[in-house]
Amino acid sequence: MLKKKLTFDQLAKRMTGLKLLALDVDGVLTDDRIFFGPDGLEMKQFSISDGFFMVLARRAGLELAVISGRYSPATTSRMKDLGVPHILQEQKDKRLQIKPLLEKLGIDLSQVAFMGNELLDIGLAREVGLSLAVADAAPELLEIVDYVTVARGGCGAVREILKAYFKGNNIEPLDYVI
């Protein structure tokens, strides 16, 4: 049975007091494509507006983490460029992958929002306080999450979520633009 989805305004209210936003990478921060050169060089396309809002959210005090089942130098490079402090890669079970970070930060799963796009994300999506999926996510994930973005992965979905965070916490993003 399909879970009733939150509206944007309901999402904003649910984001009040959120401590950590964890994001899958491929298909959430990217459009789910990877380009490989003949020498093995990996390239990904990230949304500039998603990244900009991630920087603003960090400046406003929100903890951000990326959590990916595969290691990618492109992911590491982009997240360091954005100042994302928690880059978790190379663990297929994202529930196990995030636990040490939560212990380190003193955050409970109920204070975490997680956005994914694929079957691999279902386990963690079922355990966090707020589960999110991009518009073009796997149907099985879409069935169980609290909110589905209007935007597709890599095309402003993270910005959409962070706009709800700012609204729900009465934060003006412009205050954090330098």
Side-chain angles (χ1 to χ4, degrees), residues 45 55 95 110 133 137 143 170:
Q45 181 172 298
V55 169
R95 295 170 297 183
S110 65
E143 286 179 15
N170 296 314

Side-chain angles (χ1 to χ4, degrees), residues 22-50:
L23 304 164
D24 178 38
V25 178
D26 298 324
V28 172
L29 286 164
T30 75
D31 64 1
D32 215 17
R33 295 186 293 170
I34 301 172
F35 300 93
F36 284 102
D39 60 354
L41 176 68
E42 175 185 293
M43 297 181 70
K44 297 181 182 194
Q45 181 172 298
F46 293 90
S47 164
I48 293 295
S49 66
D50 283 348

Side-chain angles (χ1 to χ4, degrees), residues 126-161:
R126 284 187 170 140
E127 293 189 14
V128 295
L130 183 60
S131 57
L132 314 162
V134 296
D136 54 340
E140 296 88 347
L141 181 62
L142 293 173
E143 286 179 15
I144 65 139
V145 296
D146 298 309
Y147 181 83
V148 177
T149 62
V150 174
R152 295 182 336 271
C155 299
V158 174
R159 179 185 178 128
E160 181 179 332
I161 294 302

Side-chain angles (χ1 to χ4, degrees), residues 1-173:
M1 185 166 147
L2 190 64
K3 183 176 184 178
K4 183 170 171 43
K5 304 299 178 228
L6 300 171
T7 66
F8 184 83
D9 287 338
Q10 291 168 333
L11 173 66
K13 287 179 185 171
R14 287 276 306 274
M15 296 193 97
T16 303
L18 180 71
K19 301 289 186 200
L20 172 70
L21 174 62
L23 304 164
D24 178 38
V25 178
D26 298 324
V28 172
L29 286 164
T30 75
D31 64 1
D32 215 17
R33 295 186 293 170
I34 301 172
F35 300 93
F36 284 102
D39 60 354
L41 176 68
E42 175 185 293
M43 297 181 70
K44 297 181 182 194
Q45 181 172 298
F46 293 90
S47 164
I48 293 295
S49 66
D50 283 348
F52 178 59
F53 267 67
M54 290 169 70
V55 169
L56 297 178
R58 287 280 303 134
R59 289 177 184 165
L62 180 63
E63 287 287 351
L64 292 176
V66 294
I67 182 163
S68 180
R70 62 183 294 276
Y71 173 74
S72 166
T75 295
T76 301
S77 178
R78 179 62 176 148
M79 293 308 110
K80 285 184 177 181
D81 180 56
L82 295 175
V84 174
H86 312 293
I87 306 167
L88 311 175
Q89 299 183 83
E90 282 192 290
Q91 166 66 265
K92 301 299 181 209
D93 188 338
K94 294 180 181 184
R95 295 170 297 183
L96 294 176
Q97 192 175 33
I98 201 169
K99 284 185 181 184
L101 175 61
L102 298 179
E103 290 172 11
K104 175 182 168 187
L105 297 175
I107 295 173
D108 185 81
L109 273 170
S110 65
Q111 300 169 305
V112 176
F114 170 65
M115 183 158 59
N117 76 307
E118 198 48 84
L119 298 176
L120 191 59
D121 301 321
I122 290 173
L124 184 55
R126 284 187 170 140
E127 293 189 14
V128 295
L130 183 60
S131 57
L132 314 162
V134 296
D136 54 340
E140 296 88 347
L141 181 62
L142 293 173
E143 286 179 15
I144 65 139
V145 296
D146 298 309
Y147 181 83
V148 177
T149 62
V150 174
R152 295 182 336 271
C155 299
V158 174
R159 179 185 178 128
E160 181 179 332
I161 294 302
L162 289 172
K163 286 175 79 173
Y165 170 77
F166 290 133
K167 181 177 181 176
N169 288 280
N170 296 314
I171 297 170
E172 176 54 57

